[in-house]
Each structure stands twice: as structure tokens, then as C-alpha cells.
Amino acid sequence: MIWQAVDDPALGRCRRAPSGARLVEPLDGEGLAQLLGERRGAVRLTVGPPADPGGADAVWIDLAPFAGVGPVADGGLAVRAGAAATWGAVEAALAQEGLTLGPIPAWLRDEPLFETLARGDRRRPSPRYGDVLDGLLAVQAALPGGGLTRSAVTPRRATGPDLARGVIGARHRAGVPLAVHLQAWPKTQGRAFRGVAFPGWAPALAAGVSALRAGARPTWWRFAAEGERVVCLAGFEGTAGLSRFDALMGGQALGAGPAHAPGEAVFGPAVEAAAPDLVSLVERQD
């Protein structure tokens, strides 16, 4: 589809599709906030020209200018990323610094950050790193009435909720994310895998809860039913918590073999979401 560059006095620099739909590329966050205020939030978000632009009344905002990653700040503990950057791009940039976000679900790696924030997706199978958005330290957002807001680069539990975090899960009705700061972690080269089988879900979950309470924090794990038994596959970066896991999980040890293939998928592309969320289960029981 051919988009024609036009000079729209109401929207600024933009392109127009044959259907009349317009694609606006804001120069900066202030320009995006002004556009949201003028349009009362009646815009659609994209990264690059959309495949289906819609009719003449459609106004798209191209967030491609907000796709940068870096720098790593706060002594290597946080990375700044534009909201249009994908999770995979952020992880690739951190890998060059010897850092990681932790395992990212495979279906999430090519998704821009702003789409994940709009849905409020959190789940990932990592007791060590927590849910995906647990590493969200700060948000900068353009508000639908115009203006910008941002939160401080600090763990949420230290400050409580703020206005910028209100965009999470709001489907862009409360604002459009422009940039975020995400927790970065040192990337450990050593890896270990474990596989343990149980006669059913009850003993498997009981063993998992005991291991978590004792401090075992696998980088990744998943539980899966195989016939009449339940198998726990786990992967570790380094050896932290490994002895506790071995001592407390019990069950029938399967060795590293069954966990190796999905584990390699985690440390490259990531494995799909896990079964029961044992971290939440422990928090509810404590």
C-alpha cells in the first residue's frame, strides 16, 4: 500500500492512505501528548504503517520513534526502553552488556512493550524473576487529555501506585506509554536442569511449595501431566537454590535430559507459560 506524505495543519507531519486514513509520526512525547489531547484519545496505535488502515476518519499514531533501547542505568540495575521496542530487542541489547530480563515467553518476544502494558500481561514461569511486569521500575506516558506523566525509577513496593502505572492494563484508555525502565539482572553463564516425576498433582504442588518456601528459586520451571504422573521440569542459572530444590522436591528424579530441550528454549527463546502459579499460592498461604 502506498502512503502519500501530506501536510495536515491539524495533525502536523503525516501520511495519508488511499482510503483517507492518516498516519502521524510525533516528533517527541510532548507532540504525542498534544495530539492525544486534541483528538480526545480517539487514535489508534501502530509501529510502522498498518496493514489495514481503515476509513477516512481513522487516525493512526506511529510509535516507531519510541523504539530505542538504552542506556543501562543505576549501576546496571535498570535499562530504559522505548514503548515501541519489542521484548526480544530489549533482551538482545542487555545480552551485549552481560545482562538479562529473565526468561521471556516465546509468544511475547516480538511484541512491542506498549501492547503488553495495555493488556497488563504478567504471567511467566519464573519463580526467580517473578512475573513479566514485576521488573517494571518506571513508566513515562502521554495522557489522553494532553500532558506527560512519569514515575520514579524505583521498585513499586517502595513507593506504592502512581498515575503513570495507571496505564497498565487500561488498553490505552488512560494514556499511551512512551518509555519504561525495566529491571536488569546479571546473566549467569552456568546452567543446570532438573526433571522430577510425581504420582499426581497433589504431591507435585506440595513439593513445589516446600521448595519455594525453603528458598529454591528456579530461573524457569513448568509442571505437566504425562499419563498418570505429573512431571516438574526446571532450569537454573548457576547453582543458587539448586541443592534446596534437589533436597525438597523428592519424587522420582529424571535427570537433566527431559528438562534440557525446553530449558534451552527458555535461555534462547522462551518456553510457553507454566501451569499452576506456585509463587502466588505461597503468597496467599503465608
Side-chain angles (χ1 to χ4, degrees):
M1 179 179 297
I2 299 177
W3 291 76
Q4 181 180 3
V6 297
D7 183 13
D8 191 318
L11 298 176
R13 190 175 66 186
C14 69
R15 288 178 281 176
R16 189 185 301 273
S19 65
R22 289 156 292 177
L23 176 66
V24 186
E25 183 179 306
L27 296 177
D28 50 31
E30 288 77 8
L32 174 54
Q34 180 180 353
L35 179 60
L36 289 178
E38 293 172 352
R39 299 288 302 180
R40 298 175 182 257
V43 296
R44 307 178 192 181
L45 304 178
T46 183
V47 179
D52 182 7
D57 59 343
V59 176
W60 294 82
I61 294 180
D62 187 357
L63 295 181
F66 305 98
V69 179
V72 176
D74 290 349
L77 297 180
V79 60
R80 186 183 189 279
T86 64
W87 291 94
V90 177
E91 181 69 9
L94 287 176
Q96 297 179 6
E97 303 289 338
L99 301 170
T100 181
L101 294 173
I104 301 298
W107 54 268
L108 201 59
R109 293 183 67 86
D110 293 329
E111 182 172 273
L113 302 180
F114 75 89
E115 292 185 5
T116 310
L117 294 177
R119 293 196 314 274
D121 283 344
R122 295 181 175 276
R123 291 291 303 276
R124 72 171 164 188
S126 179
R128 177 178 179 183
Y129 294 103
D131 289 334
V132 170
L133 294 185
D134 285 349
L136 183 65
L137 302 179
V139 184
Q140 181 187 18
L143 301 178
L148 297 174
T149 183
R150 71 178 65 208
S151 53
V153 182
T154 186
R156 180 174 54 183
R157 62 181 178 272
T159 60
D162 54 37
L163 183 59
R165 293 182 184 274
V167 304
I168 300 173
R171 306 277 178 177
H172 304 132
R173 291 186 293 269
V176 176
L178 301 177
V180 299
H181 279 80
L182 298 168
Q183 178 75 56
W185 304 85
K187 193 175 183 67
T188 305
Q189 297 302 319
R191 300 172 184 171
F193 301 106
R194 290 293 187 270
V196 185
F198 299 89
W201 280 105
L205 296 182
V209 169
S210 297
L212 287 180
R213 284 179 168 166
R217 288 292 185 269
T219 301
W220 152 87
W221 68 356
R222 70 186 303 178
F223 290 77
E226 292 187 354
E228 296 182 354
R229 70 178 187 175
V230 173
V231 174
C232 173
L233 304 178
F236 293 80
E237 288 179 334
T239 59
L242 190 57
S243 60
R244 293 190 184 117
F245 183 88
D246 289 339
L248 294 169
M249 286 298 288
Q252 176 189 357
L254 302 178
H260 191 273
E264 285 297 317
V266 169
F267 293 109
V271 75
E272 300 295 337
D277 185 354
L278 296 194
V279 177
S280 297
L281 179 60
V282 171
E283 291 174 349
R284 288 197 301 269
Q285 293 183 353
D286 288 341

